Amino acid sequence: MKRVFAGITAVLSLIVLSITLTAGPASATPPNIPSASTAATRLATLTVAAESHQSTYNRDLFPHWITVSGACNTREQVLKRDGTGVVTDSSCAATSGTWYSPYDGATWHAASDVDIDHMVPLAEAWRSGAWAWTTAQRQTYANDLGGPELWAVTDNVNQAKGDQDPTTWKPSRTAFWCTYARAWIQVKYFYHLSVQSSEKTALTTMLGSC
């Protein structure tokens, strides 16, 4: 019996070692991304409408980054969640770590090279219905850690995206289009935001890559 347990232990040890050696770069994924079929179903329920109130948008109407826990604000929480081997100082600022940007496939070792992207940009949310929200609701949206709204990505990629929807901007990594569309749809669905007709078409095309 002892030999049996010893054999099982040896096999388990080899499995663990194999997983450790073959595991690829760690990249955390924000929670609650629906399957492609669920995303398609939810996309079909979204209100299709032209955007509005663009001229009244102000980024300050979406308070962020707020303190989430202790000394950590939302940005710092995402850096810790999505990074590997992240070390922070007493003020919760990341002093070292590794971050993989799924939009372009780049890996970074300095937090200063990483932006926290709002999957559905704040201005896009405003134009799609957030103009009617309270400031408290917009604050919740801008700091949402419970859904696929916040992503750690290459800073200049985030800046190139700006406030564009998938009609005019998509990640350069086509392998990520499926996840991107599923996450985008989930955010709009959860927050009852509308989509433009061209945006819906682009998302449908991206779901086709799943």
Side-chain angles (χ1 to χ4, degrees):
M1 184 65 71
K2 287 182 180 178
R3 284 189 212 166
V4 172
F5 282 121
I8 292 173
T9 300
V11 171
L12 289 175
S13 297
L14 286 173
I15 291 172
V16 170
L17 178 60
S18 174
I19 291 173
T20 301
L21 293 175
T22 58
S27 58
T29 301
N32 295 317
I33 300 175
S35 66
S37 60
T38 297
T41 299
R42 291 177 177 174
L43 177 60
T45 69
L46 297 181
T47 298
V48 178
E51 294 177 345
S52 65
H53 294 76
Q54 183 167 348
S55 63
T56 56
Y57 169 72
N58 186 322
R59 191 174 178 84
D60 292 339
L61 294 170
F62 292 81
H64 66 289
W65 304 112
I66 63 170
T67 300
V68 175
S69 176
C72 301
N73 65 26
T74 315
R75 169 183 163 81
E76 292 158 346
Q77 285 291 100
V78 176
L79 288 174
K80 290 199 297 181
R81 182 193 70 187
D82 293 358
T84 302
V86 178
V87 176
T88 59
D89 61 20
S90 59
S91 64
C92 202
T95 57
S96 63
T98 301
W99 292 270
Y100 173 76
S101 169
Y103 291 8
D104 59 338
T107 297
W108 301 99
H109 301 284
S112 58
D113 291 319
V114 179
D115 276 0
I116 306 305
D117 176 51
H118 288 92
M119 170 59 63
V120 176
L122 303 182
E124 166 69 18
W126 177 268
R127 299 188 297 258
S128 304
W131 58 267
W133 296 352
T134 64
T135 299
Q137 288 173 315
R138 289 191 286 268
Q139 175 174 294
T140 296
Y141 178 87
N143 299 277
D144 183 7
L145 293 166
E149 169 66 347
L150 301 176
W151 295 76
V153 301
T154 302
D155 54 1
N156 59 7
V157 171
N158 178 50
Q159 291 151 24
K161 172 184 173 180
D163 65 353
Q164 300 178 80
D165 71 32
T167 306
T168 54
W169 191 91
K170 300 176 181 66
S172 60
R173 281 186 66 236
T174 55
F176 190 66
W177 283 10
C178 172
T179 302
Y180 191 88
R182 288 156 50 210
W184 182 285
I185 291 165
Q186 175 60 22
V187 173
K188 288 230 161 172
Y189 174 83
F190 185 82
Y191 285 99
H192 306 289
L193 297 170
S194 64
V195 292
Q196 299 181 91
S197 177
S198 58
E199 176 186 352
K200 184 175 183 178
T201 298
L203 289 166
T204 300
T205 299
M206 293 174 80
L207 285 178
S209 68
C210 294

